[in-house]
Amino acid sequence: QVQLVESGGGSVQAGGSLTLSCVASPYYGTYGMAWFRQGPWNAREKVAGIGSDGGTEYMDSVKGRFTISKDNAKGTLFLQMTNLKPEDTGIYTCATSSYCSEGDCARHAYDVKGHGTQVTVSS
């Protein structure tokens, strides 16, 4: 069973930046991975996904501000977040699929999840 461990969360002011990391063990690189977030007033939403070929998908509200990437050699997924807004506040969770290799896998396809890391953006 793959285990995912996130890090890099914290508290920043609006306009600030954070980079989240997620180490996968073991890491195969053949399946899609994604970042989800759960805000205090929102339902869990898929922030960004990346496929085995590097193809990416982003939710509209983070396009141009967030970048998802991965380092196959280190088995690590990243989420670079810039120009953060208070509405970006939430618990960010890394997830991977055990059968979908695309960057735009359906939400239910991400069947392995980490415990999450808290991101708090103050105005």
Side-chain angles (χ1 to χ4, degrees):
Q1 176 75 353
V2 175
Q3 292 194 340
L4 304 172
V5 179
E6 304 94 337
S7 62
S11 297
V12 297
Q13 290 191 325
S17 301
L18 283 173
T19 296
L20 306 182
S21 300
C22 170
V23 177
S25 178
Y27 178 77
Y28 302 111
T30 56
Y31 298 112
M33 300 189 74
W35 287 97
F36 287 80
R37 74 183 179 193
Q38 174 82 60
W41 305 284
N42 301 329
R44 185 169 172 264
E45 52 194 358
K46 181 184 175 184
V47 177
I50 187 167
S52 59
D53 64 352
T56 58
E57 178 190 52
Y58 297 92
M59 63 183 295
D60 287 344
S61 65
V62 307
K63 287 179 180 177
R65 300 189 298 123
F66 290 11
T67 302
I68 188 171
S69 62
K70 59 180 180 173
D71 184 331
N72 288 329
K74 296 182 178 179
T76 304
L77 178 73
F78 301 98
L79 185 68
Q80 294 175 280
M81 305 184 293
T82 63
N83 191 22
L84 283 160
K85 303 176 180 181
E87 53 264 41
D88 294 319
T89 293
I91 297 174
Y92 284 69
T93 303
C94 169
T96 186
S97 175
S98 62
Y99 59 92
C100 178
S101 64
E102 307 301 320
D104 59 352
C105 300
R107 288 166 53 96
H108 61 79
Y110 297 99
D111 47 357
V112 180
K113 304 173 185 64
H115 293 293
T117 185
Q118 176 70 45
V119 171
T120 302
V121 185
S122 57
S123 57

